[in-house]
Amino acid sequence: MTQTAPASTATPHAPRRAGRVHRAWFVAAVAFVTIIGAAGFASLPGLLVEPLHAEFDWSRGTIGLAVSVNLALYGLTAPFAAALMDRFGIRRVVAVALTVIAGGALATVWMTAPWQLVLYWGVLVGLGSGSMALAFAATVTNRWFTARRGLVTGILTAAGASGQLVFLPLLAWLVDHHGWRPATVTVALAALAVVPFVWLLLRDHPADVGLAPYGGTYAPKPAPVPGAARRALKVLLDAARTGPFWLLAGTFAICGASTNGLVRTHFVPSAHDHGMPVTAAAGLLAVIGVFDVVGTVASGWFTDRFDSRRLLAVYYALRGISLLFLPILLAPSVRPPLVFFIVFYGLDWVATVPPTIALCREHYGDDGAIVFGWVLASHQIGAAVVAFLGGLVRDLTGSYDAVWYASGALCAMAALMAMVIRRRPQPPGTFSLAGF
């Protein structure tokens, strides 16, 4: 799996002018489709809680444990994935990751014990999804774009929400009418379907096709970086000596706790506790996906123009306020105040990603993608903790209300932490609207 490294052989094409549409946009489009194809696995856990509880009599805490293992491995694998992409190339890493996701999802069809759910969905799907994760989007953006990085980051981040929009209604219908197994098979086949697109259309570096990055100058393809694991750990040790890393990791842990860990995993069963049909609750999550696309792309546009720290503070503050109101909005039917929450929350869902990536790039330069991988690990650990605790609290108290209120308070803390992140001095002549 070793790539050729010397500069003399790593640039098979002479530098040439880009066409009317730069190749970087086609690479971004392939990455977008790939992330959509892999998004089904993230849509399914919230739909599995009730069916698995009913069929196997497993507690919600046990099912939440498998989801938490998945989320934790998703995050812990991400920084190594960024380094592996530097070593073996984007195509190889992503193609293998999609195959592992499909294998883990398919294996759950034949499970009969809780440990198998933890192994197949928690470990295999977690490792596969973590091997692409948002590190994939960050690596593609860093290599292929010099200009419009914030916008492209927002678009690729929104791909996950688009996948949620595509898959959630279908998966909810399958679970409701045919059981959870056909839904799981659908997720596996969707992941496999995009492997050919990755292998045939994605390129690792602009120099592979003799181009400069969009908005940048031509540079030869760098040699593969050996020792992916060692490099990822070294970057972590270096970043851990700096204050911004811990503040970014802390805020992003709260981000994961309040999105993937809480809403994506427990919104559907929580709404069902209030008498709402599962298909209606899943439809609301899909609507979150619609507005998440708008919010995340807009956040990328804002990140190119405004102070990322202040953007994060606003996003977390608004998210916290909305979560505090959710317990009183849930009801057997969908009412206008709940629709307003869904729209409001959707705009904020992963709007935090573009400014977080921008701050990693600003403070850590070429290591920014790997640093973001470690920050993403904290995001998923936060999600994993709440995915487990949410189910446990529901088992013990019969309600999710305490978890919603606690998450709202944590978001307020994240808003304060974002404002404490110091600004890195900018070179003379750099355009900034830091006074935003």
Side-chain angles (χ1 to χ4, degrees), residues 70-79 126 130 373-374 376-381:
N70 175 291
L71 294 171
L73 287 178
Y74 177 107
L76 292 172
T77 307
W374 286 112
L376 178 62
S378 71
H379 180 282
Q380 295 306 112
I381 290 172

Side-chain angles (χ1 to χ4, degrees), residues 222-297:
V225 181
R230 183 171 61 252
R231 184 186 176 206
L233 290 172
K234 181 180 183 302
V235 169
L236 171 63
L237 291 174
D238 291 341
R241 297 188 181 100
T242 66
F245 172 79
W246 293 106
L247 290 168
L248 288 168
T251 56
F252 223 42
I254 293 172
C255 179
S258 57
T259 53
N260 292 353
L262 182 60
V263 174
R264 179 168 283 167
T265 305
H266 294 296
F267 177 81
V268 171
S270 179
H272 188 61
D273 283 347
H274 287 77
M276 185 180 295
V278 169
T279 50
L284 291 175
L285 275 185
V287 174
I288 285 180
V290 175
F291 288 94
D292 183 23
V293 174
V294 177
T296 307
V297 173

Side-chain angles (χ1 to χ4, degrees), residues 117-341:
L117 177 64
V118 174
L119 174 62
Y120 301 148
W121 195 266
V123 176
L124 292 180
V125 176
L127 288 173
S129 57
S131 295
M132 41 186 305
L134 289 173
F136 174 42
T139 302
V140 168
T141 303
N142 287 350
R143 290 187 184 183
W144 280 90
F145 291 86
T146 299
R148 300 291 185 268
R149 280 178 168 172
L151 176 62
V152 176
T153 300
I155 292 172
L156 294 183
T157 303
S162 300
Q164 178 176 306
L165 167 64
V166 169
F167 283 105
L168 254 178
L170 171 63
L171 295 177
W173 182 84
L174 286 172
V175 169
D176 195 43
H177 290 81
H178 301 285
W180 61 271
R181 288 179 177 85
T184 303
V185 172
T186 300
V187 168
L189 294 179
L192 285 176
V194 295
V195 172
F197 290 93
V198 171
W199 194 255
L200 296 175
L201 301 178
L202 196 63
R203 291 295 178 267
D204 291 329
H205 195 278
D208 288 339
V209 289
L211 291 174
Y214 180 81
T217 56
Y218 179 85
K221 183 177 180 179
V225 181
R230 183 171 61 252
R231 184 186 176 206
L233 290 172
K234 181 180 183 302
V235 169
L236 171 63
L237 291 174
D238 291 341
R241 297 188 181 100
T242 66
F245 172 79
W246 293 106
L247 290 168
L248 288 168
T251 56
F252 223 42
I254 293 172
C255 179
S258 57
T259 53
N260 292 353
L262 182 60
V263 174
R264 179 168 283 167
T265 305
H266 294 296
F267 177 81
V268 171
S270 179
H272 188 61
D273 283 347
H274 287 77
M276 185 180 295
V278 169
T279 50
L284 291 175
L285 275 185
V287 174
I288 285 180
V290 175
F291 288 94
D292 183 23
V293 174
V294 177
T296 307
V297 173
S299 178
W301 188 85
F302 291 145
T303 300
D304 286 331
R305 290 161 175 79
F306 302 116
D307 186 344
S308 295
R309 303 169 308 143
R310 299 192 180 190
L311 289 175
L312 287 177
V314 171
Y315 296 157
Y316 285 121
L318 293 177
R319 181 183 301 178
I321 293 170
S322 66
L323 287 173
L324 292 176
F325 282 96
L326 181 59
I328 65 175
L329 301 179
L330 292 173
S333 60
V334 179
R335 298 173 180 175
L338 181 58
V339 174
F340 178 80
F341 167 84

Side-chain angles (χ1 to χ4, degrees), residues 372-418:
F372 176 71
W374 286 112
V375 171
L376 178 62
S378 71
H379 180 282
Q380 295 306 112
I381 290 172
V385 170
V386 172
F388 172 67
L389 290 180
L392 186 62
V393 168
R394 171 60 177 80
D395 287 335
L396 295 175
T397 68
S399 171
Y400 285 101
D401 288 358
V403 187
W404 299 119
Y405 294 135
S407 295
L410 284 174
C411 288
M413 184 186 302
L416 295 175
M417 292 168 66

